[in-house]
Amino acid sequence: MPALASIAKNSVANLTRMGTSWLLALFLPPLLVRVLDKPVYATWVLILQVGAYVGLIDASIQSVVGRFVARAEVLDDSRYMGRMLSSAAALMLFASLSAAILIVLGSWQLEHLFPNIPASISSDARQALLIVGLSLVFSLPFSTLAGTFFGLQKNEVNALAGSLGKIVGAVGAAWAAYHHQRLYIMAAWIALGNFLQAAAYLWAWSLLKMKGVLRWANVDKAAVKEFVTFCYAVVATQIGSILITGIDLPIVAAFDFHSAAYYAVAATVSNMLIVPQGAIVGTLIPIASGMSAIQDPIRMGEAVLRTTRYATALLCILALPLLLGIQSFLTLWVGPDYARHALLSAVILIVAQFVRLTLMPYASIGFAAGQQHQMLITLLGEGVANVVFSLIGVHLVGGVGVAWGTLLGAFVSVVLHFIISMPRTNAMQFSRKFLITDGIMRPVLCCLPSAALIGVLMGQEMHLATKCVLIFGAELSAILILYKVNFNLRERKELTDLLIRAVCRRSKRAKAVA
């Protein structure tokens, strides 16, 4: 119960931070697709995608730092924490310089990498990429501070800093686009948001009363070696992630630029599944890191089975309304033209993300246990498969072929995890058969009746309000079936108690404010 309550608390903080991105992703495209023409919108999203590669490194470093901080907390070893944090900060300074060189080279060669970008905006695109990329590089060393808050389970700090930066950047970029400003002006607003996020981390660190932890004197070869040894697999994992999802839009832009804007919209919709799932499942890492210090494979295996069942149930709840209402949502959101061209890619990408995310708890707990090396072949294998299938698909059927490639890559990932990774991750002992039947198939089967029934009804012509009522009914019935069938009596009691405690706490706060 304490672990469940901790996960719930940190999930709220993560959802606040990542949910801000989610809401902004809902707010920006409808505006941008209406004030920017398709080539300009496609170029803008491509710039953000290329700049996001630095953001992936930042997220992975936060997770690594958080793991070491959580272990140091469990072991009550402040000296170890100081050595690891200082060494991580030194390495991040070096990494930021390396990333800056790559950003400059990418900006210089942008026209050669994507020759279909219109000549009228190519100069603006180069400047925008430079501004966005270098601002991300500047904020990279601050990932050490963010990782410390993550490891201490002070996710509210990361939520505040991340939300502040993203809101300022997104609103500013939207204002610039609405007033028909050039791409580099939009990029300047994104850069300002990144700078504010770094400043917020610095301010929160000053209140943490951890003076003396970050010092050059604490940097030593042993700590650097330990951090790099752990990190190289994480960086390789992120390279795999880039090959899985981060390279899709560049492939479409390089081989079918006409479809790039539509594919960007479809990818944004699929992220609506990734963001809340990642925000909640990501809270397992510091908890599992503390558990791994005790070295109990059976207990870790039980955690994998249970969290997979919980996480798959959450996936079903998120995916059900998204898939049932996708056509109407796209039409209202970005207009009938984008909806018509993006619909099939969006559905395929949502299913692909669903398949991949079913094993996210296993991957997160394995990462926390320090066994990401044993999963490396799977992640790189999925990345290579995704690129190969996507390149074949884009040549056969255009942009939608990249979505099919992503779906095939997701199935490759699941198969490789079961036949390669799981036999090698000895920090977790569990039945692979039970993981499939109880952790994944049970919650999926709980939602199939509602999805099938409403899916048939939604195929008929009906008013939008009627569709909304049907989707709500399907969601409610799925939740009730999951509650009754997917969770046992003890788990239902835990969930109910947690909900009651949350409601009571909120009620007390409301009375105190009044």
Side-chain angles (χ1 to χ4, degrees):
M1 187 66 188
L4 191 61
S6 178
I7 290 172
K9 178 182 77 70
N10 288 314
S11 294
V12 171
N14 277 359
L15 283 170
T16 301
R17 176 174 60 90
M18 299 178 73
T20 301
S21 303
W22 198 20
L23 292 174
L24 291 174
L26 287 173
F27 162 72
L28 281 179
L31 171 66
L32 296 182
V33 299
R34 287 170 171 82
V35 298
L36 302 176
D37 59 30
K38 291 182 178 66
V40 176
Y41 177 68
T43 303
W44 171 248
V45 177
L46 184 63
I47 290 169
L48 294 183
Q49 180 66 63
V50 175
Y53 297 154
V54 179
L56 279 174
I57 299 174
D58 177 68
S60 63
I61 295 302
Q62 285 187 35
S63 299
V64 174
V65 171
R67 176 190 182 272
F68 283 113
V69 169
R71 289 175 67 85
E73 279 284 291
V74 171
L75 299 172
D76 194 23
D77 191 341
S78 58
R79 184 173 177 273
Y80 175 73
M81 183 183 293
R83 287 172 54 242
M84 296 309 302
L85 286 180
S86 300
S87 300
L91 287 169
M92 285 307 96
L93 288 174
F94 174 77
S96 64
L97 293 175
S98 302
I101 294 173
L102 293 176
I103 291 294
V104 172
L105 290 175
S107 174
W108 176 40
Q109 294 294 318
L110 186 64
E111 291 176 342
H112 295 90
L113 294 171
F114 303 101
N116 289 321
I117 293 178
S120 59
I121 61 171
S122 61
S123 177
D124 282 359
R126 288 198 307 271
Q127 295 177 58
L129 175 59
L130 201 61
I131 292 170
V132 171
L134 291 181
S135 69
L136 285 165
V137 166
F138 168 81
S139 63
L140 191 58
F142 293 89
S143 60
T144 305
L145 307 185
T148 303
F149 297 124
F150 176 63
L152 296 174
Q153 299 189 50
K154 295 182 180 294
N155 292 33
E156 62 275 8
V157 174
N158 295 359
L160 174 64
S163 298
L164 173 65
K166 287 179 174 59
I167 289 172
V168 170
V171 172
W175 178 87
Y178 183 75
H179 289 86
H180 305 287
Q181 301 289 327
R182 298 170 73 173
L183 284 176
Y184 68 83
I185 300 296
M186 296 171 63
W189 280 102
I190 299 293
L192 176 61
N194 292 332
F195 293 144
L196 288 176
Q197 177 176 303
Y201 284 135
L202 196 60
W203 171 76
W205 179 265
S206 68
L207 302 178
L208 200 55
K209 298 179 180 179
M210 293 182 66
K211 292 182 178 179
V213 173
L214 284 176
R215 296 168 52 193
W216 283 111
N218 288 337
V219 180
D220 62 40
K221 292 182 179 179
V224 169
K225 182 179 179 181
E226 183 178 357
F227 191 83
V228 170
T229 300
F230 192 91
C231 244
Y232 91 84
V234 176
V235 173
T237 299
Q238 291 303 331
I239 293 173
S241 298
I242 291 173
L243 294 176
I244 293 165
T245 56
I247 204 73
D248 285 2
L249 184 59
I251 288 176
V252 177
F255 295 99
D256 187 16
F257 190 80
H258 172 74
S259 301
Y262 302 127
Y263 193 90
V265 168
T268 301
V269 173
S270 71
N271 287 337
M272 295 176 187
L273 195 62
I274 300 173
V275 170
Q277 185 76 358
I280 294 172
V281 176
T283 61
L284 296 173
I285 293 176
I287 295 174
S289 296
M291 290 172 59
S292 68
I294 304 172
Q295 297 184 349
D296 187 345
I298 295 177
R299 186 182 175 195
M300 294 287 282
E302 291 172 350
V304 170
L305 293 174
R306 188 180 185 193
T307 53
T308 299
R309 188 157 41 83
Y310 275 68
T312 306
L314 175 65
L315 264 179
C316 293
I317 292 171
L318 294 171
L320 184 62
L322 195 57
L323 286 171
L324 290 176
I326 185 67
Q327 186 171 11
S328 299
F329 170 74
L330 283 173
T331 303
L332 291 172
W333 188 45
V334 290
D337 178 57
Y338 272 90
R340 184 170 60 257
H341 289 91
L343 177 61
L344 181 56
S345 293
V347 171
I348 296 170
L349 289 174
I350 291 170
V351 176
Q353 296 300 348
F354 184 97
V355 173
R356 289 187 67 247
L357 291 173
T358 54
L359 293 183
M360 189 177 184
Y362 162 75
S364 299
I365 294 175
F367 169 84
Q371 298 210 304
Q372 70 282 356
H373 302 77
Q374 284 78 359
M375 304 178 192
L376 199 54
I377 296 176
T378 295
L379 294 167
L380 293 177
E382 181 189 0
V384 172
N386 182 77
V387 171
V388 171
F389 291 142
S390 295
L391 288 173
I392 294 172
V394 77
H395 280 97
L396 292 178
V397 291
V400 71
V402 178
W404 283 115
T406 302
L407 178 59
L408 291 173
F411 281 108
V412 169
S413 171
V414 172
V415 172
L416 290 178
H417 268 306
F418 272 93
I419 66 175
I420 296 179
S421 299
M422 291 180 186
R424 294 155 56 95
T425 47
N426 54 14
M428 303 168 284
Q429 293 183 9
F430 57 88
S431 165
R432 282 175 279 172
K433 179 181 177 181
F434 200 63
L435 180 66
I436 295 175
T437 58
D438 191 71
I440 298 175
M441 293 309 301
R442 191 206 290 190
V444 170
L445 291 174
C446 286
C447 295
L448 277 182
S450 303
L453 176 61
I454 303 304
V456 171
L457 295 175
M458 292 281 286
Q460 305 175 21
E461 288 293 329
M462 61 181 66
H463 194 272
L464 179 61
T466 306
K467 290 184 178 181
C468 292
V469 171
L470 286 174
I471 293 172
F472 177 78
E475 183 80 344
L476 182 60
S477 63
I479 291 173
L480 292 175
I481 295 172
L482 282 168
Y483 181 78
K484 195 68 178 177
V485 178
N486 190 55
F487 304 111
N488 58 40
L489 183 61
R490 180 174 63 85
E491 291 168 341
R492 292 199 296 270
K493 185 177 186 305
E494 287 179 351
L495 290 170
T496 304
D497 290 345
L498 185 64
L499 180 62
I500 292 173
R501 287 171 58 188
V503 171
C504 291
R505 191 180 298 114
R506 183 175 292 274
S507 178
K508 288 179 180 178
R509 288 178 181 174
K511 290 180 180 178
V513 171

